[in-house]
Amino acid sequence: MKITTIILAAGKGTRMRSQLPKILHNIANKPLLQHVYDMSRQLTNNAIKIVYGHGADLVRETLKDLDVTWIEQQQQLGTGHAVQQVSHEITESDTVLILYGDVPLLKLATVEQLIVNVSDTSLALLTVDLLDPTGYGRIVRNAAGQVIKIVEEKDATPIEKQIIEGNTGILAVQGKHLKKWLSQLTNNNAQGEYYLTDIIEMAVADGVTILTTQPETIDEVLGVNNRIQLSHLERIYQLEQANRLMELGVTLIDPARFDLRGSIENLGVDIIIDVNVIIEGKNSIGNNVTIGANTSITNSIIADDVVILANCILDNAVVGKGSKIGPYARLRPETVLAENVHIGNFVELKKSSVAAFSKINHLSYIGDSTVGANVNIGAGTITCNYDGVNKFRTIIEDGAFIGSDTQLIAPVTIGKNATIGAGSTITKDSPENQLTLSRAKQISLAAWQRPVKLENQATGNKVLAETLIKDK
Ligand code: UD1
Ligand code: CA
């Protein structure tokens, strides 16, 4: 079976009150329309057509990598009009699936269940029973329970308005039929729009049966019309992901305070994630990893037995087995830590590799550096890697010990097992096994006196002696 999926996405989304077209708003950092696309892409033998209109340039630019045919609907004259724009692209023998670009949580299983109901003599319609069907088209059935038409809220009689079975807008139908019915649509209704829903009555008139199915949960067919609904769907989506992770062996201290905006491609077991952790992009997390509260992890690889304490930021970083990070550590892009490395509080690393068992425990900036194994970098060490124009590398070889409050002016190499005295500014390579230090000699002045405060006769204020003298 060949499928043509038409995603309707031309609407403006006035109630979003946004300069961005509605379908470009995100759930889990991914545009609404991309969610619908990703789901339908999983159907085999499927050609996807997107009807777009509002924010046309931005939509095309933002989603330029989608494997679809873009069809512009310049004026939004209704859902039927939108599908008419695609009519010339529809092959008669195709099964045509209609989806909405602003209904992002629809599941593949629901669509698969829907499309099996399409045949020469049947149309598949996804409906939903609603506590409050306000705003939805109502599914009108005859005494035998067969669907005979859909009536829009604004065209419904008071009795029809009491129907709780709503139209989700999602349907599937044979191309041959759809093409015929599309050509017969009129805009003779309360809204003066071309309603796609009018094809239901035409189908019935042509002896085509309407077969309805319902999604497993209402959440799947909820649309986004404003930012309140957007946040509601975000939480539904996040809770679903959280549940999936817990099923796979992850402890989430509070699934309501966890956000995955991307994926964890390789996921270990016995991972413990504290509250307010945000994971973005593509990541890998090994076994027995603990992630502290308020930590943000983006496009990173974390090996087994890693402990990340609270308030850390990892961005495009690699953390080796058994390493300990934080609290308050920042691993910037291209940080690569080997096994059993310790990175402590207020330490920032960028474009640097650190070999096994090395420690950078307090208040340091290590950028553009290659740090060997068993290196100890003291508190307040700074690699001065940038002269305002160029970046230079610092190399710290195995076993080196960098005393606290040291500046390493790159390019510079600290030799194997070298020791740097605390408070040094190192501008030249430091040899292996030696103590190198650069510090002014310490002196003490026996005759020195502290300044004292005197009283200003005029004002009664205490002021420095020197100031009083100047005032005279
Ligand atoms: C539509 C259905 C209604 C259903 C409801 C479910 C019709 C006539 N009505 O109503 O039965 O209960 O969806 O949410 O089909 N769009 C375009 N071009 C247009 C008009 C709409 O691309 O000219 C797109 C919108 O961007 C949106 C979708 O079609 O993604 C639905 O449009 P919307 O205006 O929300 O339809 P409703 O009036 O809510
Ligand atoms: Ca709608």
Side-chain angles (χ1 to χ4, degrees), residues 54 76 298 315 329 349 380 396 428:
H54 265 283
Q76 283 74 57
T298 306
D315 180 4
L349 287 114
I396 302 175
K428 288 179 285 194

Side-chain angles (χ1 to χ4, degrees), residues 8-11 73 76-79 82 100 102 136-137 152 167 195 197:
L8 303 186
Q73 184 195 21
Q76 283 74 57
L77 303 179
T79 50
Y100 286 0
D102 58 358
Y136 283 79
E152 289 304 297
N167 173 33
Y195 291 165
T197 43

Side-chain angles (χ1 to χ4, degrees), residues 1 26 41 58 66 72 83 88 138 204 222 225 268 306 313-314 326 361 369 392 402 405 409 418 439 451 454:
M1 178 177 52
N26 288 337
R41 191 75 279 168
L58 192 58
L66 303 195
E72 191 165 0
V83 178
H88 64 281
R138 307 296 207 282
V204 174
L222 292 179
N225 295 303
V306 167
I313 296 175
L314 283 71
N361 272 333
S369 301
F392 299 101
I402 314 294
D405 191 24
I409 316 280
R439 255 185 226 157
L454 300 175

